[in-house]
Amino acid sequence: MAGDPTQQKNSSPALTEAQAARMLAGMNEVIRAGEEARRLRTEMVKVLADLGWPQERIARLTGMSQPAVSKQVVKHRDAGPPRPVGLALGQGDPPWLEGRLWGVAEDIAETYGSAARCHPVVEALARGRQRLTPENTDALRRLVEEDLRRYGDGLAAHRAAYDEISRALDVPSRTAGTPPGSASVRRTLAHRLQLDRLRGGDDLPSHP
């Protein structure tokens, strides 16, 4: 019967898998970004502990309870002697260089807003929608180069930093051994230190 609500319900269009995938994609990105941020925070606790920071300060800065920080520190130290992450800006491993490139791009994007060619990538990185894979790093390099050509007069420090980063990426370091710290931690530290250098701020101190 035409007025039968059951018949009307059954004849309504079904939700397709593609529609469901589009709806859930954004949610999944937020969840992934949150999980990655939590892992990164845990790793940063270890880095700061290795640098000699007191647990109460680490707890305050990370928003964690002091018992939670203490648990992570004890677990980390039980795994072996600490290998503090170096904080010199001119390190040559790829994650460090990628972090520096991200810092250069972010400062350009904040200076020129959406007019900067690198702005969309910086936004995606900040929101966890994109990661610095080798392919994405090459793409970001090209965008930064375009911005340096367009706004060269006001980006002398950025050009100097970019040239140093670019040369090091093109000619990988021959330093033996794996530097301390995970790739994500090294990117994050280099990103922050590069931003601070461009903005005239202080580097992260090795001791509190």
Side-chain angles (χ1 to χ4, degrees):
M1 189 167 90
D4 187 345
T6 302
Q7 184 178 8
Q8 291 178 1
K9 180 178 179 180
N10 291 338
S11 64
S12 61
L15 183 68
T16 67
E17 182 175 340
Q19 288 171 318
R22 286 194 292 271
M23 286 192 298
L24 291 168
M27 301 177 204
N28 290 336
E29 285 178 358
V30 171
I31 292 168
R32 265 196 310 271
E35 291 173 347
E36 290 173 3
R38 282 191 290 273
R39 283 196 296 269
L40 180 58
R41 184 180 67 173
T42 297
E43 293 179 42
M44 283 302 301
V45 167
K46 301 172 186 176
V47 169
L48 295 175
D50 286 346
L51 292 173
W53 288 51
Q55 293 182 19
E56 61 181 24
R57 177 175 290 188
I58 296 173
R60 175 167 52 82
L61 292 174
T62 59
M64 299 171 65
S65 69
Q66 193 162 339
V69 169
S70 180
K71 181 179 179 181
Q72 291 294 336
V73 170
V74 170
K75 182 179 178 182
H76 173 53
R77 287 179 178 166
D78 285 348
R83 297 178 63 210
V85 176
L87 300 177
L89 195 59
Q91 299 181 62
D93 58 290
W96 191 268
L97 295 167
E98 291 162 2
R100 289 189 63 190
L101 175 66
W102 179 11
V104 171
E106 183 169 319
D107 202 57
I108 293 173
E110 290 193 2
T111 301
Y112 296 98
S114 59
R117 294 299 307 275
C118 64
H119 187 272
V121 176
V122 169
E123 284 284 296
L125 289 169
R127 297 178 184 277
R129 295 198 305 264
Q130 187 167 313
R131 296 168 184 77
L132 282 173
T133 63
E135 293 77 13
N136 290 340
T137 298
D138 287 343
L140 183 57
R141 287 176 67 179
R142 290 192 292 271
L143 295 174
V144 168
E145 287 171 359
E146 288 187 43
D147 285 327
L148 289 171
R149 286 194 294 269
R150 294 171 69 194
Y151 308 113
D153 292 343
L155 296 174
H158 300 73
R159 165 56 72 182
Y162 175 78
D163 287 347
E164 180 182 327
I165 295 163
S166 186
R167 284 193 299 269
L169 283 169
D170 289 337
V171 184
S173 172
R174 296 180 182 273
T175 303
T178 303
S182 69
S184 58
V185 161
R186 295 186 65 76
R187 284 190 198 95
T188 299
L189 283 171
H191 167 245
R192 183 71 261 164
L193 293 172
Q194 183 64 72
L195 274 175
D196 287 347
R197 178 66 60 84
L198 290 170
R199 296 169 182 176
D202 294 329
D203 287 352
L204 183 69
S206 57
H207 296 287

